[in-house]
Amino acid sequence: MTRLFPLFYPNNKKHIPFELLKDIYHPACILTLYLDDGSLLLSKRFNLKKKEIQSTPHIALYLQAFSKEQLEQLAEWMKDHYNINVRTSGTPSGTGYYLKTTKVTDTFDLLNLLKPYQTELPDFMYKLSWEKRLDAETKHYKQTHPDYTIRVSIPVRPYSHDEVASLIEWKQQGVTDKEIAKRLNRTYWSVVYKWQDVKNRET
């Protein structure tokens, strides 16, 4: 640590030593950064007319102790080494900037990269699993807004005609959403929202 300290704190200022990161590609590096300084956030927008709560997941990396230039370099490094997209955003604290995902697909790219660690780190599921966070949000708003529907901005591949036909058939047979998700190789919430869309079109 004594030898490493000057690389991280030259002139007693916090610094990212990119010379040490150039050959690092293991996801554990991003995992450590995220669990230490990151947050999984669900921004919410209320549609009073439709009685819907639109929830959009994104990730923030609160690294405002570093300069904007260094954060931009770190964003480039994450893109080059992990194909993860983040960008700088303003904040009133620290040097005035932090990193965040701006697209839903970017958020899920990062979460998918770290998904293999969920089993090993159950205490961090609130950061590693958007499903767990969504469940918690849903339970909360069922209490505060019981007549509202929660919709989540999630990137999913389009359903084929055959998949929709199977979904309708299985729902009529009483197959659970969890089992349908398994059969279609999709997430539970993807099936829930697709079924809502199918029912809305029928009415």
Side-chain angles (χ1 to χ4, degrees):
M1 294 301 293
T2 300
R3 292 195 301 271
L4 289 173
F5 184 84
L7 296 173
F8 286 89
Y9 291 91
N11 302 317
N12 290 320
K13 290 185 178 180
K14 207 168 187 179
H15 173 80
I16 302 174
F18 287 100
E19 62 271 26
L20 299 182
L21 301 180
K22 58 184 176 64
D23 296 322
I24 293 180
Y25 290 88
H26 198 286
C29 182
I30 297 296
L31 175 73
T32 303
L33 177 67
Y34 175 53
L35 294 186
D36 190 33
D37 292 310
S39 291
L40 173 58
L41 307 173
L42 295 180
S43 60
K44 292 165 285 293
R45 185 170 56 188
F46 290 78
N47 188 320
L48 302 180
K49 186 176 181 179
K50 293 184 177 180
K51 289 193 173 182
E52 287 183 352
I53 303 173
Q54 181 71 37
S55 185
T56 304
H58 62 275
I59 286 172
L61 297 173
Y62 295 111
L63 302 168
Q64 56 265 43
F66 299 105
S67 68
K68 181 182 180 183
E69 292 73 23
Q70 283 236 296
L71 292 179
E72 289 173 342
Q73 283 182 272
L74 183 60
E76 291 180 13
W77 176 81
M78 292 176 66
K79 175 64 176 177
D80 292 340
H81 287 236
Y82 300 96
N83 199 30
I84 296 297
N85 292 298
V86 293
R87 71 170 181 84
T88 57
S89 185
T91 178
S93 62
T95 59
Y97 294 91
Y98 71 107
L99 292 175
K100 70 174 185 178
T101 57
T102 56
K103 295 181 179 179
V104 176
T105 51
D106 297 334
T107 298
F108 281 91
D109 284 344
L110 199 155
L111 290 176
N112 287 335
L113 176 70
L114 304 181
K115 194 170 184 177
Y117 296 100
Q118 290 183 2
T119 303
E120 301 174 52
L121 299 168
D123 291 341
F124 288 95
M125 289 294 281
Y126 69 100
K127 282 190 176 186
L128 296 173
S129 171
W130 75 271
E131 291 95 341
K132 290 290 184 182
R133 286 296 303 279
L134 180 59
D135 283 342
E137 293 279 323
T138 300
K139 290 176 182 177
H140 171 74
Y141 284 109
K142 277 186 176 179
Q143 296 293 324
T144 60
H145 296 73
D147 54 342
Y148 276 62
T149 299
I150 297 179
R151 288 191 173 275
V152 182
S153 302
I154 56 174
V156 294
R157 67 184 187 275
Y159 277 71
S160 68
H161 176 77
D162 290 341
E163 285 181 310
V164 173
S166 296
L167 171 62
I168 294 173
E169 180 182 352
W170 291 332
K171 290 294 290 186
Q172 291 174 343
Q173 293 173 357
V175 180
T176 65
D177 291 334
K178 184 176 181 180
E179 175 59 26
I180 293 174
K182 182 179 179 181
R183 295 181 185 183
L184 295 177
N185 191 28
R186 291 181 177 273
T187 66
Y188 168 81
W189 287 107
S190 171
V191 170
V192 170
Y193 294 127
K194 185 59 181 178
W195 179 240
Q196 288 179 352
D197 290 338
V198 170
K199 290 192 297 182
N200 289 338
R201 285 202 301 270
E202 290 178 346
T203 57

